[in-house]
Amino acid sequence: AGTEKPILLNSIADAEAFVSGAEVAVIGFFQDPQSPEAEQFRLAAGQVPEVPFGLSSSSAVLSHYGAPANTVALFRTVDDDRRDLDMNSREVDAKKLTRFVRINELRLVTEYDPVTAIGVMQSSVQFNLLLITDKMSPKHPERMRKFRAAAELYKGKILFILLDSNLKSNERVLSYFQLKKSQLPALAVFHTPDDQHDVLTVGEISTERVQDFCNRFLQ
């Protein structure tokens, strides 16, 4: 399966279909697909299996996206945003590129960790909703399904974030919201500009409960 990445995008139609088909998509715009920069791009593509990478060397595609050669663009549907990375500077390698993708790849539900936290902070969406829960719980997949269904309804308005209570680095967040592990799962909604927030300990997650909580806070 290693041959499928990155996908070659030969036309504007290919590129548009590629971008609209994913929550997060990355396109490398390279005039010379054999350049050292393109090689680093391929390496990075292999390191981020969950994000689709496309590569285009078509001048029509480059000008359609207003992308200079050796640019990598990340497109995300959650807030209809695009982030560009210039690969012309020699020090951009696969490692830096992978980090760029990890920081900026906001999805309908973004899992919170020290790297994605940076992207969350930079997002244009000012409301964050955290589901603070134990990922190891047998109920986790079902909770996520309901949480994601709610996330669909607030695309571009609220950023939905999954916070795993098992992660050492997340203990700070628990104490910030004054939550104990025995009270989980919990929802916390947060307005970034003024730190206003509200916490709800829920016995169980339902899409309706998440909606009620969001709507109350938004009002």
Side-chain angles (χ1 to χ4, degrees):
T3 48
E4 291 156 22
K5 291 191 75 167
I7 294 169
L8 290 180
L9 307 168
N10 298 316
S11 68
I12 294 170
D14 283 355
E16 288 186 331
F18 176 76
V19 169
S20 63
E23 276 193 64
V24 182
V26 175
I27 300 183
F29 299 100
F30 298 102
Q31 257 165 345
D32 172 10
Q34 302 312 320
S35 66
E37 292 86 359
E39 204 37 59
Q40 291 298 312
F41 181 74
R42 286 192 188 87
L43 283 173
Q47 285 163 18
V48 194
E50 68 283 9
V51 176
F53 277 60
L55 190 153
S56 188
S57 46
S58 139
S59 51
V61 174
L62 268 71
S63 73
H64 175 75
Y65 284 102
N70 294 336
T71 301
V72 173
L74 178 143
F75 300 85
R76 56 189 198 203
T77 42
V78 66
D79 53 3
D80 208 13
D81 201 358
R82 166 180 163 180
R83 301 283 166 106
D84 287 13
L85 180 67
D86 179 3
M87 291 210 52
N88 284 308
S89 69
R90 283 277 163 252
E91 55 277 5
V92 175
D93 56 7
K95 196 174 165 196
K96 287 215 171 73
L97 187 55
T98 303
R99 186 173 163 78
F100 166 77
V101 173
R102 291 273 295 122
I103 285 175
N104 290 296
E105 58 152 346
L106 298 179
R107 318 165 161 265
L108 272 179
V109 175
T110 299
E111 187 161 346
Y112 189 88
D113 63 37
V115 182
T116 57
I118 302 168
V120 168
M121 299 306 168
Q122 294 173 348
S123 163
S124 56
V125 179
Q126 300 193 327
F127 291 97
N128 295 339
L129 179 72
L130 282 65
L131 168 58
I132 304 168
T133 188
D134 173 359
K135 264 181 80 176
M136 307 307 282
S137 158
K139 294 181 175 161
H140 182 69
E142 183 56 18
R143 278 176 193 155
M144 275 306 282
R145 203 176 56 73
K146 291 172 176 166
F147 193 58
R148 185 178 294 272
E152 287 274 2
L153 306 170
Y154 295 97
K155 210 188 294 191
K157 284 201 210 63
I158 302 179
L159 212 52
F160 276 58
I161 297 162
L162 167 69
L163 198 116
D164 182 9
S165 56
N166 295 307
L167 271 192
K168 257 287 180 243
S169 56
N170 286 338
E171 284 173 5
R172 273 209 336 270
V173 182
L174 279 174
S175 61
Y176 177 82
F177 290 118
Q178 297 173 330
L179 285 165
K180 295 187 197 60
K181 285 195 172 179
S182 58
Q183 296 172 292
L184 301 180
L187 295 169
V189 66
F190 198 89
H191 184 235
T192 358
D194 58 12
D195 279 0
Q196 208 186 339
H197 62 271
D198 196 5
V199 179
L200 178 69
T201 52
V202 280
E204 227 17 270
I205 299 293
S206 76
T207 303
E208 296 71 34
R209 199 168 282 168
V210 173
Q211 265 180 279
D212 285 346
F213 185 54
C214 288
N215 293 343
R216 271 211 317 275
F217 190 78
L218 289 175
Q219 278 157 15

